[in-house]
Amino acid sequence: MGDKLDVGMAGLQDSAYALEEAAAFGRWWYRRALGQIEVSPMAASCLDIETGSWRTLEGCLINVAEDDLVPLIALITAPQTTAFEFRVVTANAGLRWMRATVLSREAPDTPITSGILVDITHSKHAAIRERLGFELTELLVGSAQLNEVIVNVIQLVCQRLGWEWGAYWMMEASPQNGDRLACRHLWHRTGHDLGTFSQATTDLTMQPEEGVVGQVWASGCAQWIEGMASNPRFMRQNSARSSGLQSGYIFPVTYVSQDGVQHRPGVLEFYSGLARQQEAQLPLLSATIGALIAQTTQRLEREAVIHRLARIDELTGLSNRSHFHAGLTERCISATKHHEKFGLMYIDLDRFKPINDAFGHDTGNCVLREFALRLNSVVPPGAAVGRLGGDEFALVVACSSDDALSELALQVLEVARAPFLYHGVELTLSASIGVSRFPENGQTTPELLRSADAAMYRVKQNGRNSCDIFSNSNPSSIAKLQASLAQRLSIETELHHAIANKELFLLYQPIFDVSSSLMHGMEALIRWRRANGDLVPPDVFIPIAEQSHLIVEIGQWVMAQACADLSKLYHANFNDLKVHVNMAASEFTNVNLPNVLCELARAHQVPSSSITLELTEGMLMKQPERVVSVMRNLRNLGFEISLDDFGMGHSSLSMLKNLPITSMKIDRSFVRDIAKNQSDSAIAKAILTLGHSLKLDVIAEGIETDAQLSKLKEEGCHLVQGYLLCRPLSLDSLISMHSNSAVGGVGCAMPF
Ligand code: C2E
Ligand code: MG
Ligand code: MG
C-alpha cells in the first residue's frame, strides 16, 4: 500500500481517508522486511500519535497499554489470528479500546501485511459492563457472608475493567479512637510489586473526612485521584510511588432502606499503574457495584433477622423451643464424642396461670420476662437458657456434680420465689424443677427431656416449689409415668361428657350407730362407669376433675343426686337419715356454695340438717380463712360438717377448737391396725377423746374386722363404717335391704 502511495494517487487516497473517517476505521500497512509500519490519519488518531509516513513499530504503538503490546506486535508481524483487541492510553480521551484486524497477509514473498483499526471503546464498555454486572450478580446472589465474597467482587472488577489494585473500607467501632475507617478486604494483581501498597493500606485507619477515602465516606460522592505518588490529598503517597500506582477511583457503597434511611456500608477504591484512568468506565459501573453490594448487605441483614427470629423467643430473648432442642442435640453429640457430662434442668413455674388469669396477659408477660432475666443472672457462663413455651423454661449446664446442680436449682428456686412487682402489686410464685444428667439419665434430647420432665412431675405431685434430680432406680418409671400422664389426659377428655352421658352414679355406704345398732346415716360415694364399661374409682378421677375445674360441675351433680336420693329414702321410711357428701377443696372456697346447697335442699324437700358435708384437713389448710368463713355460713344454714380422714393432716388443736364442724372421721389408716398396734390404738383413742370433749360425733371408717370393731367399741366409738358392716351399695339395694330388715324406723339395722 505504501508503494501505492508512492505512485501519487493523492486524490484517490484523500477520498479513501474520508470514507475511513465516516466509517470510523483506520488502516495500517506493515513492511515486514524493514519492520516498519504506516498508518492512515484515522488509525493515527486511534493510536494517539502524529500522522506521518513509515516508522518503527515502537514509535507507532507507544501509547498501547503495556500488557497488550506483545500480542499486538505478534498480530502485526506474524499473524496467527485475524484480530486482536487492545487498549490505548490517550492523552485526551483516556483509556480506549481498539480492534486490529489483519485484512491481507500476502504470500511469503509479498513484503506487506495490511489491516484495519477500529475504535471499539463504546461497544467494548457496554459488553464489559453487561458481563461484569452479570458476574457480580452471580457472585453476590448466592453468598451467605458479605465479607467472604467482597474480595471476589474486587478481583472481578479489577480483572474485567483493567485495574491492578482494589480494596473495600468499612467503618469500625474502636473504643479508644471512636469510629474509624479500616480496610479489611483487598485484592491486587500478581506480577506487580503491589505488596507495599497493600501493607500501607491495611496498616492505616482513618476518620471520616480524613484522606480521600474518608472524604468519600463523609460526602457520599465518588472521587478521581491522579498522580497518586505526589498528590497531597492522598495519604499513601510513598507506597503508591514504590508500587508504581498512578491513578484511581474511589466511590461509596450506598443504599436507601425501605424506611427512607440512607446507609453507607463501605467505600471501594481501585487503582491503576496507568495514568489518566479518568475515562475508564468505573464511574458508569460504580452505581451498579454499590447497588449490588448494598442489596446483598440488606438481604443478609434480613436473613440474619429471620434467622434470629427463628431461634429466639421474642418475649424473653431466650432460645425458643426448637432452637433449644437443636442445641441440646448438638450438645449430646459433642458430649458423647468428648466423654463429657452435663445437666438439663426443666423449670415449670407454679401458680403462673392464676396470675395470668387474674391480672391479664401483660402482667403474665412481665413476670415471664423478669423471670428470664433472673434466670440469666444465676446461670454459669456457657449455659444454654431457653423458654420451651408458656411458663416452661430449661437450662443446659456443664455438670461437675449432683451437688453443683442442686446448688444451681436452689438459686433458681430462690429467684422464682422473690416477689415480682407489677404496678405496685407484689406477685409471688414458685418453681418446680426436674433435673436429668447426661449420660446417666439419657443420651438423646428426647430421653433427657423425658427424664427431667418426670423428675419435675414428681416435684409437682409432692407439693411444688422444689427440685428433684431424676433417679434411675426404677427404670420403668418413665414408661409408667408416661402411661399415667396419657391416662390422665384421656380421663380428663372423657370426663367432660360423663355427666351429660349419665355415666356418673352414686353408691351409699351406711354409717351405723353401735349403741342402737341402727343406721345413723350413709356416705355418698361417686362412681364413674366409662363408655367402654370400665368402672373408675373416685381416687383416680376426682383429683383430675379438681385440676381441670370440672369438679364444680361434678360436685353440683353429686349434691343434687344425693338430695334426690335422700328424698326417695324418706319416702321409703328411712326416717332421720343423714347423708354424708364428700366435697372438693375448690367447692369449699366458693362463697356461693351455701346458697347453691340451700336451693338444692329446698328443691328436694330435704332438711339442711340431714346433709353432712365432708371435707379433709388438707382442704381446710389450703385457704383456712376463706374455707372457714364458707363453713360458718353453711352451719348457720343448718348443714352439718364432718372432718374427713382425720389424723392425716396437720390441723392444729387450737384451730380445731374453733372449727364449725359437727363430726370427725378417724382415718382408715388408724383403724387398720388398731387391734394390733399400740400407737394406732392410742391415736384412735386420743381422737375419740378429743372429739367427744369438743362435743363432736366421731365416726370410725374402714372397719374390716371384728377385732377392729370390738376395739373401737371398747374405746367408746359409737359411729362406725366399713366393709365389715356394709359395702357401698346402690340406692335400690339399700332400699331393698331395708324392706328385708326386721328393724324399721331408721332404715336398716347393723348386720350383727
Ligand atoms: P373417703 O371420703 O374417705 O371415703 C371412704 C372411702 O373408703 C371410700 O372409697 C369407701 O369405699 C372406702 N371404704 C369404706 N369402707 C372401707 C373398708 O372397710 N375398707 C377399705 N379398704 N375401704 C373402705 P371410695 O368410694 O373409693 O372413695 C375414695 C375417696 O374418693 C373418698 O374417700 C373421697 O375422698 C372421694 N370421693 C368419693 N366420692 C366423692 C364425691 O362425690 N365427691 C368428692 N369430692 N370426693 C369423693
Ligand atoms: Mg368421706
Ligand atoms: Mg375418709
Side-chain angles (χ1 to χ4, degrees):
M1 180 75 184
D3 292 326
K4 289 178 196 153
L5 292 178
D6 290 345
V7 292
M9 296 173 72
L12 191 58
Q13 194 184 17
D14 285 348
S15 58
Y17 288 156
L19 188 67
E20 278 180 26
E21 205 174 322
F25 73 91
R27 304 201 66 194
W28 54 269
W29 301 269
Y30 176 66
R31 198 181 266 168
R32 287 202 300 278
L34 300 172
Q36 286 182 326
I37 189 164
E38 176 157 7
V39 293
S40 68
M42 186 62 193
S45 148
C46 287
L47 293 168
D48 202 23
I49 52 171
E50 300 283 311
T51 35
S53 52
W54 299 99
R55 63 181 86 190
T56 60
L57 267 178
E58 292 78 39
C60 183
L61 304 180
I62 185 133
N63 293 321
V64 170
E66 205 182 316
D67 289 351
D68 300 341
L69 206 50
V70 174
L72 179 61
I73 291 174
L75 179 94
I76 296 168
T77 56
Q80 301 292 315
T81 52
T82 51
F84 177 66
E85 289 173 2
F86 62 97
R87 291 163 299 164
V88 177
V89 183
T90 67
N92 297 321
L95 189 109
R96 313 287 299 168
W97 280 90
M98 305 294 156
R99 185 191 292 119
T101 310
V102 176
L103 282 183
S104 67
R105 224 217 105 199
E106 273 101 314
D109 52 323
T110 317
I112 290 177
T113 305
S114 70
I116 58 171
L117 202 59
V118 184
D119 186 331
I120 55 163
T121 305
H122 284 302
S123 60
K124 186 76 182 169
H125 279 183
I128 289 174
R129 281 200 300 271
E130 195 177 332
R131 187 164 157 212
L132 184 69
F134 179 72
E135 287 173 324
L136 281 172
T137 311
E138 251 188 342
L139 258 185
L140 291 166
V141 157
S143 66
Q145 286 250 325
L146 188 65
N147 286 355
E148 277 170 17
V149 86
I150 208 92
V151 173
N152 296 341
V153 169
I154 297 168
Q155 178 180 0
L156 196 66
V157 171
C158 286
Q159 286 173 334
R160 295 286 175 263
L161 302 185
W163 299 91
E164 276 116 67
W165 192 99
Y168 185 63
W169 293 72
M170 285 184 301
M171 192 56 88
E172 280 187 355
S174 150
Q176 296 90 30
N177 311 319
D179 290 353
R180 292 185 76 83
L181 284 159
C183 170
R184 293 287 168 255
H185 308 285
L186 58 81
W187 182 89
H188 60 78
R189 284 196 192 186
T190 52
H192 293 68
D193 182 19
L194 295 166
T196 329
F197 190 69
S198 297
Q199 190 60 54
T201 303
T202 47
D203 287 349
L204 191 67
T205 62
M206 54 186 93
Q207 288 176 335
E209 304 212 44
E210 199 182 353
V212 188
V213 171
Q215 284 165 16
V216 169
W217 169 271
S219 67
C221 299
Q223 286 198 27
W224 278 105
I225 186 99
E226 297 283 350
M228 290 158 67
S230 53
N231 192 325
R233 285 168 50 223
F234 197 70
M235 291 170 79
R236 289 158 283 170
Q237 286 173 30
N238 290 342
S239 49
R241 188 176 309 113
S242 56
S243 300
L245 294 175
Q246 296 202 48
S247 63
Y249 188 64
I250 305 111
F251 62 96
V253 172
T254 57
Y255 70 92
V256 178
S257 56
Q258 276 176 350
D259 51 10
V261 177
Q262 166 131 36
H263 300 266
R264 197 170 301 143
V267 168
L268 277 164
E269 56 175 357
F270 292 93
Y271 298 113
S272 167
L274 301 176
R276 297 213 44 86
Q277 278 272 293
Q278 281 239 21
E279 289 74 14
Q281 55 193 325
L282 200 43
L284 285 174
L285 268 168
S286 62
T288 314
I289 297 168
L292 277 171
I293 291 179
Q295 271 171 22
T296 310
T297 312
Q298 262 183 310
R299 175 175 61 79
L300 293 175
E301 275 170 9
R302 273 198 301 270
E303 281 175 8
V305 170
I306 293 168
H307 190 53
R308 195 185 128 77
L309 287 179
R311 291 174 307 149
I312 298 297
D313 166 50
E314 241 186 305
L315 181 68
T316 58
L318 302 178
S319 291
N320 62 19
R321 174 183 281 267
S322 63
H323 186 238
F324 185 84
H325 282 194
L328 183 55
T329 304
E330 271 173 31
R331 187 73 184 252
C332 289
I333 295 167
S334 119
T336 308
K337 205 161 137 197
H338 301 108
H339 306 291
E340 287 166 354
K341 291 176 160 221
F342 67 86
L344 169 71
M345 208 170 273
Y346 190 77
I347 304 157
D348 191 284
L349 294 180
D350 307 324
R351 294 196 300 275
F352 175 72
K353 195 174 174 299
I355 288 184
N356 221 18
D357 291 346
F359 295 92
H361 287 274
D362 283 351
T363 317
N365 287 350
C366 278
V367 169
L368 292 173
R369 261 196 298 267
E370 170 69 22
F371 180 68
L373 286 176
R374 294 182 185 181
L375 208 50
N376 265 327
S377 71
V378 293
V379 296
V385 190
R387 176 171 169 239
L388 305 189
D391 57 356
E392 292 166 35
F393 294 80
L395 302 177
V396 170
V397 279
C399 152
S400 44
S401 65
D402 282 2
D403 284 351
L405 284 171
S406 302
E407 179 62 32
L408 177 61
L410 286 179
Q411 281 179 281
V412 175
L413 287 175
E414 205 169 301
V415 296
R417 269 195 306 262
F420 291 83
L421 265 183
Y422 185 74
H423 292 309
V425 181
E426 258 194 20
L427 306 168
T428 47
L429 34 81
S430 59
S432 296
I433 303 178
V435 179
S436 61
R437 296 147 303 177
F438 178 96
E440 295 95 316
N441 312 139
Q443 297 185 13
T444 62
T445 294
E447 285 170 7
L448 284 167
L449 282 169
R450 257 201 311 272
S451 301
D453 189 41
M456 193 275 289
Y457 186 66
R458 267 204 302 267
V459 174
K460 289 263 183 212
Q461 279 188 320
N462 292 333
R464 302 153 197 254
N465 184 26
S466 182
C467 149
D468 194 358
I469 296 187
F470 182 81
S471 145
N472 264 344
S473 54
N474 180 0
S476 64
S477 60
I478 297 180
K480 274 193 197 155
L481 199 81
Q482 273 184 321
S484 90
L485 282 176
Q487 192 195 24
R488 203 174 74 185
L489 269 180
S490 85
I491 286 180
E492 190 180 320
T493 316
E494 287 178 53
L495 202 50
H496 275 277
H497 309 290
I499 298 178
N501 293 348
K502 299 198 170 26
E503 291 171 11
L504 299 180
F505 61 97
L506 293 180
L507 294 183
Y508 294 97
Q509 187 177 33
I511 299 166
F512 293 99
D513 185 338
V514 285
S515 44
S516 64
S517 294
L518 290 177
M519 191 169 150
H520 161 84
M522 57 182 186
E523 181 173 8
L525 295 164
I526 194 169
R527 297 291 179 268
W528 174 26
R529 191 174 300 281
R530 287 164 87 178
N532 64 9
D534 288 352
L535 193 64
V536 191
D539 289 340
V540 172
F541 71 89
I542 290 290
I544 296 171
E546 289 202 48
Q547 276 171 19
S548 62
H549 298 286
L550 267 171
I551 193 66
V552 176
E553 208 184 329
I554 291 178
Q556 287 192 8
W557 176 85
V558 171
M559 190 54 74
Q561 189 63 43
C563 289
D565 289 348
L566 189 61
S567 164
K568 270 191 198 167
L569 286 170
Y570 287 155
H571 286 111
N573 281 336
F574 281 76
N575 301 326
D576 295 334
L577 198 65
K578 289 187 191 303
V579 66
H580 285 236
V581 179
N582 291 288
M583 305 294 284
S586 47
E587 291 179 275
F588 252 100
T589 48
N590 178 4
V591 286
N592 265 334
L593 181 73
N595 293 338
V596 172
L597 294 187
C598 245
E599 198 47 52
L600 276 174
R602 195 174 302 134
H604 292 281
Q605 297 180 319
V606 291
S608 53
S609 59
S610 65
I611 297 171
T612 305
L613 305 167
E614 291 193 6
L615 87 164
T616 60
E617 287 170 275
M619 286 156 60
L620 188 62
M621 297 313 287
K622 275 194 177 148
Q623 290 186 50
E625 280 156 33
R626 200 160 162 179
V627 171
V628 169
S629 125
V630 173
M631 286 165 83
R632 282 194 205 291
N633 288 343
L634 286 165
R635 284 294 296 123
N636 289 339
L637 292 165
F639 293 96
E640 306 222 319
I641 299 174
S642 183
L643 203 51
D644 202 356
D645 304 343
F646 188 76
M648 293 302 287
H650 313 276
S651 47
S652 69
L653 293 180
S654 60
M655 185 180 183
L656 201 63
K657 191 178 73 186
N658 297 317
L659 274 184
I661 53 173
T662 45
S663 63
M664 49 209 271
K665 297 178 87 174
I666 305 177
D667 190 67
R668 203 166 64 223
S669 58
F670 302 116
V671 171
R672 196 173 44 222
D673 293 328
I674 194 168
K676 296 182 257 171
N677 186 315
Q678 288 253 314
S679 48
D680 277 352
S681 162
I683 290 174
K685 194 174 172 182
I687 295 174
L688 279 163
T689 315
L690 178 74
H692 291 151
S693 66
L694 291 171
K695 308 225 172 350
L696 299 174
D697 280 342
V698 182
I699 304 162
E701 62 180 347
I703 302 167
E704 292 179 347
T705 65
D706 292 326
Q708 290 166 344
L709 183 62
S710 344
K711 186 77 185 164
L712 282 159
K713 276 185 187 170
E714 207 180 288
E715 303 294 355
C717 181
H718 302 296
L719 299 170
V720 289
Q721 177 188 359
Y723 290 170
L724 175 72
L725 308 160
C726 191
R727 290 213 167 228
L729 301 169
S730 68
L731 185 78
D732 291 345
S733 307
L734 198 66
I735 292 172
S736 65
M737 208 172 97
H738 166 62
S739 37
N740 296 335
S741 163
V743 189
V746 282
C748 50
M750 255 170 85
F752 41 83

